[in-house]
Amino acid sequence: EVQLQASGGGLVQAGGSLTLSCATAGFTFSHYAIGWFRQAPGKDREGVSCIPDGHGTPYYADFVKGRATISRDHAKNTVYLRLNNMKPEDTAVYYCVADQNYCLSRNYWGQGTQVTVSS
C-alpha cells in the first residue's frame, strides 16, 4: 500500500526558513516522482515543486523559484522541501504527491502539514 506522510510544518516568521519532509512507503521510491502542492484558505491547490525519479531536473513554481530546494534521501525513502525567505503568502497546507509521470498524474496524496508565516 502506497503511503505518503508529510511533516515539518509549523509557525515561522517572515524571512525565516522551514524544511518539510515527505516520508514514503509501499512502493519503489526511486521509480517515482515526488512533489509538493499547497492550498491556502479559499484557494485551489497549486503545485510548488517536484523531483523526478532518478536524478532529473526538479521543477519549481515561479513563486518559490530561487528560495526553494527539493531533495531526496534514498536511505530514508524521504523527500524534503527547504523553503527560505518565507513570506506570509506561503501560509497554506502543504501536501506531498507521488506518481510515475513527473507529478503530472499525482496518483497518490499524503495528508497535509500546516505552514503558517507571521509578518
Side-chain angles (χ1 to χ4, degrees):
E1 178 179 329
V2 172
Q3 297 182 40
L4 304 171
Q5 188 72 237
S7 62
L11 179 64
V12 63
Q13 291 182 307
S17 298
L18 201 63
T19 298
L20 306 180
S21 300
C22 179
T24 74
F27 61 97
T28 303
F29 178 72
S30 62
H31 292 178
Y32 280 72
I34 309 293
W36 292 90
F37 277 65
R38 71 185 189 186
Q39 186 170 27
K43 297 183 179 180
D44 292 331
R45 292 184 185 182
E46 58 184 353
V48 179
S49 184
C50 181
I51 187 165
D53 60 316
H55 303 286
T57 302
Y59 160 83
Y60 298 101
D62 287 343
F63 53 81
V64 297
K65 198 166 294 181
R67 58 189 186 95
T69 303
I70 190 168
S71 61
R72 288 177 178 263
D73 185 333
H74 291 277
K76 296 182 178 180
N77 291 337
T78 298
V79 166
Y80 303 97
L81 180 67
R82 176 72 170 179
L83 293 173
N84 300 317
N85 190 27
M86 298 193 72
K87 307 172 181 180
E89 52 263 43
D90 292 325
T91 296
V93 177
Y94 286 70
Y95 301 86
C96 58
V97 302
D99 64 25
Q100 293 183 295
N101 191 30
Y102 309 100
C103 301
L104 297 176
S105 297
R106 302 182 291 275
N107 297 113
Y108 305 102
W109 291 74
Q111 94 298 338
T113 184
Q114 176 71 53
V115 172
T116 303
V117 183
S118 62
S119 59

